Amino acid sequence: MTHPADTATSAPATSPHTTTSRTPASDPAVPRVSATRTHWTRGADGAELAHWSAIATQVAETLAQDAVERDRANETPYREARLLKASGLVTLLIPEEFGGGGGHWATALEAVRILARADASIAQLLAYHYINEANIVFALPDPSGRERWFRASAQGQWIWGDSVNPTDPDLMLIPTETGYVLNGRKRYSTGSAVGDVLLVNARISAGPGEGRILAFVLENGREGVTYIDDWDFLGQRLSSSNTVTYSDVAVNQDDVLGLLSDEPYSSLVTPGIQLAFGNLYLGIAEGALAKGRELINARPNAWFLSSAEKYRHDPFVQRLVGELKAHTAGVAALAEKVNRRFEDVLALGNAVTAQLRGELAIEIAELKVISSEVTTRLAHQIFEATGTSSTASKHGFDLYWRNIRTHSLHDPVDYKKLEVGAHFLNGEFQPISLYT
């Protein structure tokens, strides 16, 4: 995930471009702009949502068949990546005229949610792919610079991995006559080993752009790039979030997307990935509830002190499950609302202001807080309803808790609460970053 924008000095080689002017906007009622800044000029309709949701459901059903076994094997998810490609989900957001599905963000986020019910690792892989690929739009204000990226992504059914973790020491990017030379390492590079291309962020180490962070794209197999098989964590074990090392890697001008910028539209990529997290967490909660219901309904007898005959009729079981289900429904309502809000803001194109961008980020932070806390609590507390037998290894029921517990630590939820509270009390926005 990244928010490149200032591409005036480093446009893709297919065509140079100039930055389009920005139309100021004071509120979300500003008329939607033309596709010169974005092709996402409207939201998903019912037919689109139904079509892609059905496809995502089929993929989720396939993943669910052996999700526990694959998690335990902890192998690089090449087979799962092929499944995503075969389904068409990886090209959902690419315009139809360039060979893609012509879909919109509410649809893509719904697909992430559906997959997360069955396999949150592969849902994460897809979510990050959508955000990484979207840098084609966020990074390139002029549509003439986007076509070659969209066509190549659609024709190759590319999965976009990333290597952008800002908490690691910066990579070293030295300018040369033909581009740059890259050295260093990045942990937590989601989708890197299975991705067809890798989105990289690196700070320029010398020359006129020294200190600026450049975003560029490297194909899988680029000389000098090594994928370290070190992703062996509690959860999200199939997200291919391993370390990548770079040794004298040649970065050409054709590889460059742009320089990172705080420009409001370009920096929407960060709220976008945080929104994907909210939908990912919601899907995990829904998956845990569905599996919990299956386990509860399979139990024949209630506790010996209960007045109920069957376990599922026990009032304490019903009360706890009802509470968890109601909280999950609340998260779903908020997620669906904010997904649409994200589409509305994206459609404004150059009319997006810093104020609009900040307000959207706050709404998404609220979803991040509540989805993280509800799902983490649910995946832990539902065992009180499903009982001792549900902890048998054959059920793999711990998978939901391990996944949410791992990914919810991506960035501290307390700082999302701070973000919301500072704005509510003082009207403050946090500095734009790869987390805010």
Side-chain angles (χ1 to χ4, degrees):
M1 49 184 168
T2 180
H3 46 80
D6 182 0
T7 55
T9 61
S10 53
T14 50
S15 68
H17 66 79
T18 55
T19 304
T20 55
S21 61
R22 302 190 185 99
T23 303
S26 59
D27 59 66
V30 174
R32 294 185 173 188
V33 298
S34 70
T36 56
R37 187 62 180 90
T38 175
H39 65 279
W40 297 307
T41 55
R42 64 173 180 85
D45 59 27
E48 177 189 314
L49 274 166
H51 171 74
W52 288 106
S53 294
I55 291 173
T57 298
Q58 291 176 348
V59 173
E61 289 172 350
T62 300
L63 292 171
Q65 293 173 8
D66 58 354
V68 174
E69 292 78 10
R70 289 184 294 103
D71 173 83
R72 290 172 179 167
N74 195 28
E75 296 178 352
T76 303
Y78 296 113
R79 180 165 61 92
E80 293 85 346
R82 290 193 295 269
L83 177 63
L84 293 179
K85 291 184 176 190
S87 72
L89 286 172
V90 297
T91 58
L92 188 159
L93 288 173
I94 296 175
E96 287 182 334
E97 60 264 36
F98 301 137
H104 298 81
W105 279 94
T107 306
L109 293 165
E110 180 70 9
V112 170
R113 172 182 172 182
I114 291 171
L115 263 60
R117 295 168 186 164
D119 188 332
S121 289
I122 307 308
Q124 179 187 343
L125 190 67
L126 183 64
Y128 282 49
H129 158 74
Y130 285 143
I131 293 294
N132 295 331
E133 180 190 73
N135 280 279
I136 297 171
V137 175
F138 293 126
L140 302 172
D142 186 342
S144 65
R146 303 175 200 152
E147 180 175 350
R148 73 179 180 99
W149 291 104
F150 277 138
R151 288 195 183 279
S153 294
Q155 290 170 6
Q157 293 185 309
W158 284 358
I159 289 178
W160 287 59
D162 68 54
S163 189
V164 302
N165 173 24
T167 63
D168 264 1
D170 290 317
L171 300 173
M172 183 173 292
L173 189 65
I174 304 294
T176 67
E177 291 184 359
T178 58
Y180 303 88
V181 173
L182 175 68
N183 283 281
R185 63 187 286 124
K186 281 285 185 185
R187 298 175 300 161
Y188 307 140
S189 298
T190 296
S192 54
V194 299
D196 298 275
V197 292
L198 190 62
L199 177 69
V200 184
N201 286 356
R203 190 179 301 276
I204 300 173
S205 304
E210 183 175 1
R212 299 294 302 277
I213 297 177
L214 189 71
F216 49 92
V217 182
L218 303 176
E219 80 280 2
N220 194 310
R222 177 71 64 95
E223 185 176 357
V225 179
T226 303
Y227 308 98
I228 309 299
D229 187 13
D230 61 353
W231 182 249
D232 186 13
F233 283 61
L234 179 72
Q236 297 301 103
R237 290 166 61 80
L238 300 186
S239 62
S240 187
S241 296
N242 45 275
T243 297
V244 181
T245 64
Y246 305 91
S247 179
D248 293 330
V249 177
V251 178
N252 305 313
Q253 287 298 333
D254 281 358
D255 303 324
V256 173
L257 282 178
L259 293 163
L260 265 62
S261 166
D262 290 349
E263 186 268 321
Y265 194 87
S266 298
S267 64
L268 285 173
V269 69
T270 301
I273 191 64
Q274 292 285 326
L275 180 57
F277 294 170
N279 285 270
L280 176 72
Y281 300 167
L282 171 58
I284 295 173
E286 292 173 331
L289 274 174
K291 182 65 174 180
R293 179 175 58 188
E294 175 188 321
L295 293 168
I296 289 168
N297 287 346
R299 294 190 62 172
N301 302 317
W303 182 243
F304 76 99
L305 294 176
S306 174
S307 60
E309 181 177 345
K310 292 189 175 181
Y311 192 80
R312 67 178 181 269
H313 295 148
D314 185 284
F316 289 107
V317 173
Q318 292 178 344
R319 187 211 67 79
L320 176 56
V321 172
E323 179 182 0
L324 299 176
K325 176 64 172 67
H327 288 171
T328 303
V331 175
L334 181 58
E336 290 162 10
K337 172 188 172 185
V338 181
N339 290 352
R340 289 298 190 178
R341 172 70 169 151
F342 185 62
E343 287 190 323
D344 290 343
V345 173
L346 280 177
L348 294 173
N350 290 324
V352 174
T353 63
Q355 182 70 23
L356 281 173
R357 191 268 185 200
E359 290 171 354
L360 175 65
I362 294 299
E363 293 181 55
I364 292 172
E366 291 172 343
L367 173 63
K368 173 71 176 294
V369 169
I370 197 68
S371 63
S372 174
E373 294 196 341
V374 165
T375 304
T376 302
R377 174 174 173 255
L378 183 154
H380 144 72
Q381 198 167 8
I382 197 169
F383 282 95
E384 297 174 16
T386 56
T388 305
S389 61
S390 68
T391 66
S393 294
K394 65 180 180 180
H395 298 305
F397 197 35
D398 61 316
L399 180 59
Y400 302 97
W401 178 82
R402 289 190 290 105
N403 283 340
I404 184 60
R405 183 67 283 175
T406 299
H407 199 282
S408 64
L409 301 174
H410 175 276
D411 54 294
V413 175
D414 276 345
Y415 280 90
K416 287 299 169 187
K417 295 176 182 177
L418 181 151
E419 192 174 335
V420 172
H423 181 261
F424 181 72
L425 292 174
N426 308 312
E428 298 171 358
F429 295 131
Q430 299 304 299
I432 291 177
S433 72
L434 286 172
Y435 295 108
T436 57

